[in-house]
Amino acid sequence: PPPGLSSLLPPREFLRSRKGQLLLAESVLSFIIFICYIASLAASFMMAPLLEFLLALFLFFAYASKLNEKFKGVHWPLADFLRCVTAAIIYFAISIAAVSKYSDGASKAAGVFGFAATIVFAIDFYITFNDLVTFLKQGSSDSPEGHKTEDEDSDSDSD
């Protein structure tokens, strides 16, 4: 392929990583659900999968191009965790509504794909939560405030 086109594609290492595969699955499922809601009687639910598709696609390319390493001001794991938690809850709720309230096939398909997306987002937020906890534990042991209080305690003991 020409060099311009290959620069737009994510690296193979990222596509093989767990995070890359989860973000790709979230993007594909969200797009399929969006299309199903457009074709269904439950078209009022189409905004949630559209937003989740765009957010998952943005994070896919942000992680693939290593924007998370370039922009340190954004707490990427926390933002990703909150996105996954809210997506799982929203997909679960609208999937129940789509399956129980509407009788057309597209609504039922959107609900079934929505339940699959709920599982994928739940797996992603579980993995992200474990990474976030590990990150916070490392940050608390390396914090200068912890060392400061130990130094003040030793000074007060010597008085």
Side-chain angles (χ1 to χ4, degrees):
L5 183 61
S6 64
S7 65
L8 293 176
L9 298 175
R12 285 189 180 162
E13 301 84 35
F14 181 71
L15 287 174
R16 291 182 181 152
S17 71
R18 181 174 41 190
K19 188 63 176 178
Q21 291 175 351
L22 282 170
L23 283 169
L24 190 61
E26 292 166 3
S27 299
V28 169
L29 280 171
S30 295
F31 186 72
I32 291 170
I33 295 165
F34 173 69
I35 297 299
C36 288
Y37 278 131
I38 286 177
S40 74
L41 296 173
S44 59
F45 294 140
M46 74 177 183
M47 192 55 136
L50 176 64
L51 287 175
E52 290 304 328
F53 167 70
L54 293 174
L55 284 171
L57 200 62
F58 168 74
L59 279 176
F60 179 78
F61 283 109
Y63 282 131
S65 61
K66 299 190 187 303
L67 281 178
N68 57 331
E69 295 173 5
K70 295 175 186 167
F71 293 104
K72 298 286 187 185
V74 178
H75 198 291
W76 292 90
L78 182 61
D80 197 21
F81 173 74
L82 292 174
R83 177 191 65 88
C84 291
V85 167
T86 56
I89 293 169
I90 289 169
Y91 272 131
F92 186 68
I94 66 174
S95 296
I96 289 174
V99 169
S100 64
K101 191 174 179 183
Y102 298 96
S103 61
D104 61 315
S107 296
K108 302 281 185 195
V112 170
F113 281 116
F115 287 126
T118 301
I119 293 168
V120 170
F121 278 101
I123 291 169
D124 196 7
F125 86 69
Y126 176 75
I127 292 169
T128 306
F129 177 75
N130 287 336
D131 294 343
L132 192 61
V133 167
T134 304
F135 174 77
L136 292 175
K137 284 182 181 176
Q138 289 173 351
S140 65
S141 65
D142 295 337
S143 70
E145 296 169 356
H147 299 298
K148 181 179 170 186
T149 56
E150 291 172 4
D151 293 339
E152 289 174 353
D153 290 341
S154 63
D155 289 341
S156 62
D157 291 339
S158 62
D159 288 335

